[in-house]
């Protein structure tokens, strides 16, 4: 037998028949159903008998699943909650993907049994979140279709029966340590929203957020600590006031222009700067509503009307390295607030504004809104070179690549068009994707580069003291930004960031020392400045930028700075400058044309 389906139950006469019917109607027949019942007082056992299920005595969820698995005959075990419904071909798709990917344990994606937009948004978010973190840590909240091998279940001694909360995540993690874990892409279960309706959005979000944060910190939490019996609360508190969102501003104006929501990632300044260039062009042709987080909001709100601030995700860096666990914990702590406020704002404006299309520069919530409201989505960024390009990179960065790929795929889902900007041009995987040179601001394009007697150093962290020690030992002069101080120390000239002064220093430098950030590298190459790149460790996008920087002959990629490699780079500047002499590297007009055509082509038609 291939699959044993184990379903713990307690008084589930209202839900169990629909689940059993959905199993019976599958196009896959090599299975058995085991009902592990905790002494139900209704007709649950009688229903199970009528459907020909095996029935064993159960208990709390962990105990019930273990008792069901103990009598299982299948090679694989599928654990389901009783209030689920399997989508058509679920068993076929799940088993096929599980075996093709040689998995040891997997979880299913969810579709809510609800017509409410709120419920669709929340479950779509949950699906994407689980995909995003699957390469960081095997994890799953709620037994919404856990499939594993019976041999592995026995090897880890099943579910931990001492846990009264989070036993499913603990189980997935333990099997994930000794096998391969994945969120199934084709297999979906339809899930009841009864718990969400009973407890309310805020209380349920807080509970799962806290439990997930604890899980990623390696801590266990009990149902009592979570205050499982939360009271009823309002779905969402309305914190939007008339000063921020005036209905007259959001209502569509019948002026013949297409209406566009443009949403911008706020991490770093690269997304904001290039979006500013594109929005200046789009502003005269379309009615725009702009959403941005963090630094992108502060930058764009000074340039345009109708810019609204949303919360965004931010990566934690320490000692030039990505800290995945701290990034995740920080994001989860703010998730209930971010999810509630962002979706409330975006949904209200989308409802009133009636956009024809959504454009996202790697901004998560706009993509989510697009999929829920079925508004066409256009992706425009540099990140999708990771998923859409046939890229080459050293095999030792494979793990970093898989993590980055999962994040990129979960941030932007099913766009109509991928518009990618890059200074390197690998073959693309499909016809939905196009690639152009970077978008540059006019201040950079108008510079007249020269080569004065210094190297420009740009850092985003003040902790890289080893860099300073190496620079001191060379005979070259350095102008340094990023250490939040203004002083001169022999051959080192530290400066507080000032945009105009930075432009001047960039224009006249001999070369650049920086991390692997796309924006500065693009500007440096346009100005024919070779780059010595030290990418943030674990940040695959920066690693890839540096790999192709070196591959193209425009500079060098180093995982760590050293005196020897820096001196050799500086001695070879003339070679790199010669390689850059034919580099063009500005795609403003081409990308604006492509974006405009995509907006016209994919815009939603309103009746």
């Amino acid at each position: 037998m291939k699959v044993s389906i184990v379903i713990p139950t307690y008084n589930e006469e209202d839900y169990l028949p629909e689940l059993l019917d959905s199993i019976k109607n599958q196009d896959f027949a090599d299975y058995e159903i085991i009902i592990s019942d905790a002494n139900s007082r209704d007709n649950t056992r009688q229903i199970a008998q009528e459907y020909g299920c095996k029935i064993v005595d159960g208990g709390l969820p962990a105990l019930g699943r273990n008792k069901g698995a103990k009598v299982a005959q299948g090679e694989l075990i599928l654990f389901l909650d009783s209030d689920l419904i399997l989508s058509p071909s679920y068993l076929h798709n799940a088993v096929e993907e599980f075996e093709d990917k040689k998995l040891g344990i997997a979880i299913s994606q969810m579709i809510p049994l609800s017509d409410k937009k709120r419920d669709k948004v929340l479950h779509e978010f949950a699906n994407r979140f689980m995909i995003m973190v699957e390469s960081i840590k095997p994890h799953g909240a709620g037994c919404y279709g856990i499939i594993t091998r019976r041999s592995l279940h026995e090897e880890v001694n099943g579910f931990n029966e001492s846990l009264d909360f989070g036993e499913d995540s603990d189980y997935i993690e333990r099997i994930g340590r000794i096998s391969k874990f994945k969120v199934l892409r084709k297999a979906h279960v339809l899930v009841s929203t009864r718990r969400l309706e009973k407890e309310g959005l805020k209380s349920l979000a807080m509970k799962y957020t806290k439990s997930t944060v604890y899980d990623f910190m390696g801590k266990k939490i009990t149902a009592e600590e979570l205050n499982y019996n939360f009271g009823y609360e309002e779905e969402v508190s309305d914190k939007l006031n008339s000063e921020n969102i005036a209905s007259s501003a959001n209502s569509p104006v019948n002026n013949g222009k297409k209406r566009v929501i443009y949403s911008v990632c706020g991490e770093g300044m690269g997304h904001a700067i290039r979006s500013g260039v594109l929005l200046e062009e789009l502003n005269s042709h379309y009615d725009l509503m702009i959403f941005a987080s963090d630094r992108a909001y502060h930058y764009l709100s000074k340039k345009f009307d109708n810019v609204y601030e949303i919360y965004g995700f931010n990566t934690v860096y320490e000692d030039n390295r990505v800290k995945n666990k701290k990034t995740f914990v920080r994001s989860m702590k703010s998730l209930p607030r971010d999810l509630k406020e962002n979706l409330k704002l975006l949904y209200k404006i989308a409802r009133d504004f009636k956009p024809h299309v959504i454009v996202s520069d790697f901004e998560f919530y706009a993509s989510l809104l697009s999929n829920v409201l079925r508004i066409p989505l256009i992706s425009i960024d540099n990140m999708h070179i990771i998923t859409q390009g046939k890229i080459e990179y050293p095999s030792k960065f494979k793990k970093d690549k898989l993590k980055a790929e999962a994040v990129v795929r979960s941030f932007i889902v099913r766009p109509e068009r991928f518009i990618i900007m890059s200074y390197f041009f690998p073959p693309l995987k499909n016809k939905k994707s196009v690639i152009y040179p970077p978008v540059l601001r006019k201040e950079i394009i108008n510079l007249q580069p020269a080569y004065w007697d210094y190297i420009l150093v740009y850092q985003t962290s003040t902790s890289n003291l080893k860099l300073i020690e190496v620079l001191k030992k060379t005979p070259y002069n350095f102008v340094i930004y990023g250490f939040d101080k203004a002083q001169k120390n022999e051959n080192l000239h530290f400066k507080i960031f000032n945009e105009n002064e930075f432009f001047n220093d960039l224009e006249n430098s001999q070369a650049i020392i920086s991390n692997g950030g796309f924006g500065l590298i693009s500007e440096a190459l346009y100005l024919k400045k070779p780059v010595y790149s030290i990418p943030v460790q674990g940040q695959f996008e920066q690693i890839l930028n540096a790999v192709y920087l070196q591959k193209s002959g425009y500079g060098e990629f180093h995982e760590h700075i050293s005196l020897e490699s820096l001196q050799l780079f500086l001695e070879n500047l003339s070679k790199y400058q010669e390689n850059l002499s034919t580099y063009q590297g500005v795609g403003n007009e081409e990308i604006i044309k492509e974006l405009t055509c995509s907006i016209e082509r994919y815009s939603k038609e309103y009746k």
Side-chain angles (χ1 to χ4, degrees):
M1 182 170 294
K2 189 64 178 180
V3 182
S4 295
I5 303 172
V6 176
I7 308 168
T9 57
Y10 178 69
N11 293 341
E12 297 291 354
E13 63 178 9
D14 291 335
Y15 293 93
L16 186 59
E18 288 189 281
L19 171 57
L20 297 178
D21 282 335
S22 72
I23 296 173
K24 182 180 178 181
N25 293 329
Q26 295 288 306
D27 55 359
F28 179 96
D30 192 10
Y31 65 82
E32 63 176 350
I33 304 174
I34 303 167
I35 300 296
S36 186
D37 186 64
N39 296 316
S40 293
R41 299 176 181 177
D42 62 3
N43 294 319
T44 296
R45 288 197 175 217
Q46 181 181 343
I47 292 168
Q49 288 173 344
E50 292 172 356
Y51 279 84
C53 306
K54 288 184 182 178
I55 302 173
V56 297
D57 291 333
L60 290 174
L63 176 62
R65 292 174 191 135
N66 285 341
K67 285 190 171 184
K70 191 172 183 179
V71 302
Q73 300 296 310
E75 176 187 343
L76 306 179
I77 302 178
L78 172 63
F79 295 102
L80 299 174
D81 280 349
S82 56
D83 55 356
L84 305 178
I85 297 175
L86 301 189
S87 59
S89 297
Y90 171 90
L91 290 176
H92 172 82
N93 290 336
V95 171
E96 181 179 64
E97 186 175 356
F98 193 86
E99 296 293 11
D100 285 350
K101 301 297 183 181
K102 297 180 171 59
L103 304 179
I105 189 161
I107 60 174
S108 310
Q109 296 189 61
M110 302 174 288
I111 300 172
L113 287 164
S114 169
D115 292 327
K116 292 183 178 179
K117 297 293 185 184
R118 175 203 68 179
D119 297 341
K120 293 179 180 179
V121 168
L122 291 174
H123 286 80
E124 177 71 12
F125 175 86
N127 290 335
R128 285 209 230 166
F129 175 79
M130 296 313 306
I131 292 172
M132 184 169 61
V133 302
E134 71 178 358
S135 61
I136 299 173
K137 183 176 183 178
H139 178 75
C143 194
Y144 301 133
I146 298 175
I147 184 170
T148 188
R149 300 188 186 277
R150 181 157 57 96
S151 59
L152 292 174
H153 173 87
E154 293 169 354
E155 184 174 345
V156 300
N157 296 316
F159 289 84
N160 186 341
E161 296 174 12
S162 69
L163 299 178
D164 61 4
F165 192 90
E167 76 290 339
D168 39 19
S169 289
D170 170 78
Y171 179 77
I172 291 168
E173 182 179 355
R174 286 187 288 117
I175 295 182
R177 290 196 197 111
I178 59 174
S179 67
K180 185 178 179 182
F181 166 79
K182 189 177 180 65
V183 180
L184 298 175
R185 300 304 197 260
K186 296 180 180 179
H188 293 75
V189 292
L190 284 70
V191 301
S192 168
T193 58
R194 59 176 173 170
R195 189 173 297 170
L196 179 59
E197 298 296 338
K198 179 180 179 181
E199 297 190 17
L201 173 60
K202 183 177 179 181
S203 63
L204 197 62
M206 287 296 293
K207 180 174 69 175
Y208 279 107
T209 297
K210 186 175 181 180
S211 68
T212 304
V213 168
Y214 268 56
D215 181 51
F216 271 69
M217 294 173 66
K219 300 179 180 179
K220 302 302 180 187
I221 191 168
T222 66
E224 183 178 358
E225 288 174 304
L226 281 171
N227 190 18
Y228 193 86
N229 293 316
F230 287 115
Y232 296 94
E233 302 187 43
E234 290 185 347
E235 176 183 327
V236 178
S237 62
D238 189 355
K239 293 188 177 180
L240 303 174
N241 55 59
S242 58
E243 294 180 2
N244 289 331
I245 303 177
S247 60
S248 60
N250 297 329
S251 299
V253 178
N254 188 16
N255 56 11
K257 292 182 178 181
K258 292 283 197 310
R259 299 180 293 277
V260 179
I261 285 181
Y262 201 112
S263 205
V264 184
C265 171
E267 184 162 27
M269 283 299 294
H271 302 276
I273 290 170
R274 66 181 176 229
S275 294
V277 175
L278 298 174
L279 286 165
E280 282 184 4
E281 294 294 326
L282 296 179
N283 203 26
S284 59
H285 302 289
Y286 301 103
D287 285 335
L288 299 175
M289 285 289 170
I290 304 166
F291 296 91
S293 60
D294 301 308
R295 296 170 69 187
Y297 167 76
H298 296 291
Y299 178 83
L300 294 172
S301 62
K302 296 175 183 177
K303 293 177 172 287
F304 305 99
D305 297 327
N306 294 333
V307 181
Y308 297 96
E309 184 172 17
I310 57 177
Y311 297 106
F313 296 97
N314 287 291
T315 307
V316 176
Y317 301 98
E318 290 181 3
D319 299 324
N320 207 43
R321 178 184 292 274
V322 174
K323 308 300 287 187
N324 286 318
K325 184 174 288 187
K326 288 187 177 181
T327 297
F328 178 78
V329 170
R330 175 186 288 182
S331 298
M332 289 303 298
K333 285 181 178 178
S334 62
L335 179 61
R337 176 204 66 185
D338 296 358
L339 187 62
K340 178 182 69 174
E341 300 296 341
N342 286 353
L343 294 180
K344 181 74 173 179
L345 174 65
L346 285 162
Y347 180 74
K348 179 175 176 60
I349 288 183
R351 180 192 64 196
D352 296 339
F353 184 58
K354 292 183 170 55
H356 294 91
V357 71
I358 294 175
V359 179
S360 177
D361 188 329
F362 205 60
E363 199 289 301
F364 173 83
Y365 287 97
S367 173
L368 191 63
L369 185 73
S370 164
N371 280 273
V372 170
L373 298 185
R374 300 187 182 280
I375 300 169
L377 175 68
I378 299 169
S379 168
I380 181 165
D381 57 43
N382 63 294
M383 302 295 293
H384 276 87
I385 198 73
I386 295 172
T387 61
Q388 301 302 307
K390 297 178 181 179
I391 54 177
E392 298 176 354
Y393 57 93
S395 59
K396 65 179 178 179
F397 299 116
K398 179 70 171 180
K399 185 176 180 181
D400 294 323
K401 192 260 188 181
L402 291 174
K403 290 179 181 178
E405 189 173 44
V407 171
V408 171
R409 290 190 186 281
S410 64
F411 260 55
I412 305 295
V413 177
R414 295 187 293 274
E416 302 293 338
R417 191 72 158 163
F418 292 102
I419 303 174
I420 303 167
M421 53 196 79
S422 178
Y423 54 82
F424 53 94
F425 301 90
L428 296 174
K429 294 179 180 179
N430 65 66
K431 294 180 180 180
K432 290 178 64 175
S433 305
V434 288
I435 186 168
Y436 295 100
V439 169
L440 300 178
R441 44 191 161 172
K442 62 183 180 181
E443 291 88 349
I444 296 295
I445 295 173
N446 293 334
L447 294 178
Q448 300 297 318
Y451 298 99
W452 293 4
D453 186 26
Y454 66 87
I455 311 300
L456 178 64
V457 180
Y458 183 83
Q459 293 290 292
T460 56
S461 169
T462 60
S463 64
N464 196 351
L465 300 180
K466 181 181 178 181
L467 170 66
I468 301 303
E469 293 303 315
V470 171
L471 299 181
K472 285 180 180 178
K473 296 176 182 178
T474 73
Y476 298 87
N477 296 316
F478 299 92
V479 174
I480 304 170
Y481 287 88
F483 284 83
D484 297 328
K485 60 182 179 181
Q487 69 178 54
K488 290 186 178 181
N489 184 354
E490 298 180 355
N491 64 329
L492 309 183
H493 186 183
F494 294 90
K495 291 188 176 184
I496 300 292
F497 188 82
N498 173 279
E499 189 171 63
N500 290 330
E501 191 168 359
F502 180 78
F503 287 154
N504 182 68
D505 290 330
L506 177 61
E507 178 182 36
N508 296 304
S509 62
Q510 290 191 39
I512 310 297
I513 298 174
S514 183
N515 57 30
F518 178 79
L520 181 56
I521 291 179
S522 298
E523 293 176 348
L525 298 185
Y526 175 76
L527 297 171
K528 320 301 183 189
K529 311 293 183 181
V531 179
Y532 181 101
S533 177
I534 316 162
V536 172
Q537 296 176 51
Q539 225 285 26
F540 183 76
E541 181 252 336
Q542 290 199 10
I543 293 169
L544 187 67
N545 291 337
V547 166
Y548 275 91
L549 172 78
Q550 181 163 296
K551 188 181 180 72
S552 303
Y554 302 150
E556 295 182 10
F557 163 34
H558 295 280
E559 294 183 64
H560 307 279
I561 191 169
S562 70
L563 180 60
E564 294 76 16
S565 66
L566 180 59
Q567 286 181 327
L568 187 60
F569 166 75
L570 296 174
E571 289 169 5
N572 288 315
L573 286 184
S574 60
K575 179 185 74 173
Y576 296 128
Q577 289 165 355
E578 183 179 351
N579 292 342
L580 282 164
S581 62
T582 58
Y583 177 80
Q584 298 300 315
V586 58
N588 293 26
E589 291 185 6
E590 296 170 280
I591 289 182
I592 289 167
K593 182 178 179 181
E594 173 67 42
L595 181 56
T596 301
C597 289
S598 295
I599 290 172
E600 296 298 328
R601 178 179 180 182
Y602 298 112
S603 286
K604 179 178 180 177
E605 296 294 332
Y606 288 94
K607 296 180 179 180

